[in-house]
């Protein structure tokens, strides 16, 4: 295999640098067992631990997990409150553990709508782990791709008005710098569990060239073997970024 990770058969063999996951199916997992949805969410947290562990062990650089979307406020009040409590309790328990494992914690999304105590906990987690150098764990909470693009446009518009940017400065590279994921590599592999084949307002801009993987496995059942299978599928894909297959196979272009 050559230095850029392309082997002569044209298959990219490298691990994905950045994996982004829509963790879906907690509710159905519980309902199948005649249990309340809350139990499904608790089981979902356990699955998160295993997946984080796997990524840290396998030198994945960034793992982004969609934990709560900007549309999830539409759920029954009880479920929203439960998710907030679970989030708070999990953070309280896990921050030191993540730190001990050299994992950097980050949050993306509009946190202004969260209870202040929760916002403080999130900031504390980010501060405490900011210098860690193993996996970066990005939790998307009250995140929406539309929100992300709007907040980026707002920052750019403010700079235009202030005269610190001109219209000609606007291009995809510049826009990237204003998104919530500015300093992260673009996702290489997107996974959605739970059987739905949609993006549900996740990383709309950032997924432009991401390899997509959908599985019917419900999130609480998604284990390390399931992730290994998704990564294996990724490794069989030929990423062309607009080039022809021949260009990629003869390595006449750099991707
Ligand atoms: C995903 O599981 C978790 C969150 C959205 C917080 P769901 O709660 O959407 O589970 P299903 O889709 O109803 O099974
Ligand atoms: C997407 O799942 C959001 C998260 C997993 C956090 P949903 O279950 O909310 O998505 P839809 O509503 O079925 O598209
Ligand atoms: Mg769902």
């Amino acid at each position: 295999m050559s230095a850029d990770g392309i082997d002569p058969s044209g298959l990219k063999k490298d691990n994905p640098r950045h994996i982004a996951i829509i963790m879906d199916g907690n509710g159905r997992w519980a309902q199948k067992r005649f249990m309340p949805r809350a139990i499904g969410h608790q089981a979902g947290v356990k699955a998160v631990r295993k997946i984080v562990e796997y990524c840290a062990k396998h030198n994945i650089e960034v793992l982004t997990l969609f934990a709560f979307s900007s549309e999830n406020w539409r759920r029954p009040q009880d479920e929203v409150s439960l998710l907030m409590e679970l989030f708070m309790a999990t953070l309280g328990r896990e921050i030191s553990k993540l730190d001990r494992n050299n994992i950097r914690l980050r949050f993306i999304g509009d946190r202004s709508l969260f209870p202040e105590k929760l916002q403080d906990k999130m900031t504390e987690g980010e501060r405490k782990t900011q210098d860690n150098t193993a996996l970066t764990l990005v939790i998307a909470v009250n995140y929406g791709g539309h929100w992300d693009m709007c907040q980026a446009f707002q920052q750019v518009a403010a700079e235009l008005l202030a005269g610190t940017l001109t219209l000609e400065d606007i291009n995809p590279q510049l826009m990237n710098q204003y998104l919530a994921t500015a300093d992260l590599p673009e996702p290489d592999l997107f996974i959605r569990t739970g059987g739905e084949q949609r993006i549900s307002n996740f990383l709309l801009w950032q997924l432009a060239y991401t390899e997509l993987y959908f599985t019917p496995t419900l999130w609480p059942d998604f284990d390390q073997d399931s992730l290994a299978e998704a990564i294996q599928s990724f490794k069989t894909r030929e990423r062309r970024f607009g080039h022809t297959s021949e260009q990629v196979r003869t390595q006449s272009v750099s991707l």
Side-chain angles (χ1 to χ4, degrees):
M1 194 157 70
S2 68
D4 59 5
I6 311 285
D7 83 352
S9 66
L11 299 178
K12 197 168 191 313
K13 299 293 190 193
D14 285 346
N15 267 339
R17 290 178 69 190
H18 181 173
I19 301 176
I21 307 183
I22 297 187
M23 309 181 288
D24 196 18
N26 293 349
R28 277 164 286 164
W29 184 90
Q31 278 158 352
K32 256 175 53 180
R33 291 164 173 73
F34 306 102
M35 295 195 288
R37 295 174 60 85
I39 304 290
H41 293 310
Q42 281 165 10
V45 174
K46 285 195 190 143
V48 168
R49 264 191 224 113
K50 294 267 177 262
I51 295 307
V52 170
E53 206 176 277
Y54 182 98
C55 288
K57 205 158 84 200
H58 289 81
N59 299 322
I60 303 295
E61 276 175 57
V62 186
L63 172 66
T64 299
L65 300 175
F66 204 6
F68 191 87
S69 80
S70 44
E71 287 69 39
N72 286 145
W73 298 106
R74 297 171 184 162
R75 293 192 176 198
Q77 186 52 48
D78 280 2
E79 181 162 345
V80 171
S81 307
L82 177 119
L83 285 167
M84 292 298 144
E85 277 161 32
L86 190 61
F87 186 35
M88 183 77 189
T90 307
L91 278 185
R93 244 193 347 255
E94 305 288 327
I95 289 175
S96 323
K97 214 187 295 170
L98 291 173
D99 193 34
R100 275 200 306 280
N101 287 301
N102 197 20
I103 294 171
R104 183 165 70 128
L105 182 62
R106 278 268 306 269
F107 298 97
I108 55 170
D110 179 5
R111 43 182 105 174
S112 66
L113 292 179
F114 291 135
E116 212 163 306
K117 254 174 77 181
L118 184 52
Q119 291 189 40
D120 291 347
K121 201 84 202 152
M122 291 162 75
T123 312
E124 180 200 320
E126 288 179 323
R127 282 224 188 96
K128 196 161 179 186
T129 62
Q130 66 188 356
D131 297 324
N132 292 345
T133 52
L135 174 71
T136 295
L137 174 62
V138 183
I139 310 286
V141 273
N142 192 19
Y143 180 88
H146 287 165
W147 166 82
D148 199 0
M149 282 158 145
C150 287
Q151 66 80 25
F153 292 147
Q154 281 172 352
Q155 292 184 64
V156 170
E159 297 234 27
L160 287 173
L161 289 171
T164 45
L165 277 180
T166 66
L167 280 180
E168 292 69 36
D169 291 328
I170 298 178
N171 57 39
Q173 288 71 35
L174 179 107
M175 290 311 300
N176 259 327
Q177 294 168 22
Y178 290 89
L179 291 166
T181 49
D183 54 337
L184 305 171
E186 270 160 27
D188 301 296
L189 172 61
F190 160 96
I191 298 170
R192 182 172 187 144
T193 63
E196 313 297 349
Q197 303 197 357
R198 55 179 173 250
I199 305 289
S200 298
N201 198 17
F202 195 26
L203 303 159
L204 298 180
W205 171 284
Q206 296 88 339
L207 291 174
Y209 257 110
T210 304
E211 296 297 327
L212 306 180
Y213 181 87
F214 297 95
T215 168
T217 304
L218 302 172
W219 176 250
D221 292 328
F222 191 81
D223 59 13
Q224 299 193 346
D225 287 344
S226 318
L227 179 56
E229 218 172 284
I231 293 175
Q232 200 41 49
S233 164
F234 169 82
K235 288 182 175 181
T236 66
R237 315 272 179 101
E238 183 185 69
R239 304 187 78 188
R240 293 194 282 272
F241 297 96
H243 297 289
T244 65
S245 181
E246 198 186 8
Q247 285 175 304
V248 174
R249 281 162 191 266
T250 57
Q251 300 173 40
S252 61
V253 287
S254 62
L255 298 178

